[in-house]
Amino acid sequence: MRALLFLFVTLSAAHAATILNVTLSPANQNGLPGQALTFSGTLENTTNGTVFINSNSFTFDITAIGSLDDSLFLANAPLSLNAFEASKQFDFFTVNIPALQAPGLYSGVFTIQGGADDLAADVLGAASFEVQVNAPPPPPPGPNEVPEPATFALMAAGLGLLVWQRRR
């Protein structure tokens, strides 16, 4: 029984081994509400066999619909990586900070799926990322309630004309 348990634990650990090194650069970005931030990176196959890259998933603290657009990943990722091959840097995803997002630090994990063929959906690797949402700058001061000096000069000239007209 212990032998079976040892075998199960060993196989589970081997299956959970990282197949791809996923590197986001930079993995931490700053932005303002309403701004879009693009994360890019590289993938590196750490095995001695070909790995197919078939899909991705993510978790992210900002849950607004459309806050993370992952369409860039499959549009730019290689279909597969040969043994010990690394990809060139490419765009992975875009974070769209909602216009009313509160300032703060928001974390996420981007996960790559694939495997031995083009239908596999094993977890190949993952990378953590963070978005620091900064407070928007204060709005400009409201309209000036006091007339500008040129307005006073124009009014004075008009009153002067009226007085001059009455005297005539």
Side-chain angles (χ1 to χ4, degrees), residues 159-168:
L159 285 174
L161 268 171
L162 284 173
V163 169
W164 182 73
Q165 273 294 43
R166 286 192 121 207
R167 289 191 172 227
R168 270 181 102 192

Side-chain angles (χ1 to χ4, degrees), residues 19-45:
I19 296 170
L20 289 179
N21 281 336
V22 182
T23 305
L24 295 174
S25 53
N28 304 317
Q29 294 193 35
N30 297 314
L32 297 170
Q35 190 174 14
L37 307 172
T38 300
F39 286 78
S40 58
T42 59
L43 303 174
E44 179 186 9
N45 182 354

Side-chain angles (χ1 to χ4, degrees), residues 27 32 40 48 51 63 70 74 79 83 88-90 97 104 111 116 125-126 140 143-145 152 155 164:
L32 297 170
S40 58
N48 61 359
V51 174
T63 57
D70 60 346
L74 287 179
L79 297 176
K88 294 181 181 176
Q89 185 158 332
F90 64 94
I97 303 171
T111 304
N144 198 350
E145 299 290 331
F152 281 125
M155 283 177 44
W164 182 73

Side-chain angles (χ1 to χ4, degrees), residues 84-109:
F84 305 107
E85 181 182 14
S87 72
K88 294 181 181 176
Q89 185 158 332
F90 64 94
D91 291 342
F92 277 42
F93 58 92
T94 301
V95 170
N96 299 300
I97 303 171
L100 299 175
Q101 188 65 44
L105 185 63
Y106 299 91
S107 300
V109 176

Side-chain angles (χ1 to χ4, degrees), residues 6-160:
F6 176 77
L7 181 61
F8 177 76
V9 170
T10 304
L11 288 175
S12 295
H15 187 299
T18 301
I19 296 170
L20 289 179
N21 281 336
V22 182
T23 305
L24 295 174
S25 53
N28 304 317
Q29 294 193 35
N30 297 314
L32 297 170
Q35 190 174 14
L37 307 172
T38 300
F39 286 78
S40 58
T42 59
L43 303 174
E44 179 186 9
N45 182 354
T46 62
T47 69
N48 61 359
T50 299
V51 174
F52 286 83
I53 299 159
N54 300 329
S55 186
N56 68 273
S57 64
F58 61 86
T59 59
F60 189 40
D61 288 344
I62 298 177
T63 57
I65 294 174
S67 63
L68 194 146
D69 178 5
D70 60 346
S71 62
L72 291 172
F73 181 76
L74 287 179
N76 296 316
L79 297 176
S80 64
L81 288 173
N82 294 322
F84 305 107
E85 181 182 14
S87 72
K88 294 181 181 176
Q89 185 158 332
F90 64 94
D91 291 342
F92 277 42
F93 58 92
T94 301
V95 170
N96 299 300
I97 303 171
L100 299 175
Q101 188 65 44
L105 185 63
Y106 299 91
S107 300
V109 176
F110 194 79
T111 304
I112 314 302
Q113 298 158 328
D117 59 40
D118 61 348
L119 299 175
D122 299 324
V123 172
L124 302 177
S128 297
F129 63 95
E130 292 181 330
V131 172
Q132 174 66 49
V133 177
N134 298 319
N144 198 350
E145 299 290 331
V146 177
E148 295 181 20
T151 306
F152 281 125
L154 187 58
M155 283 177 44
L159 285 174

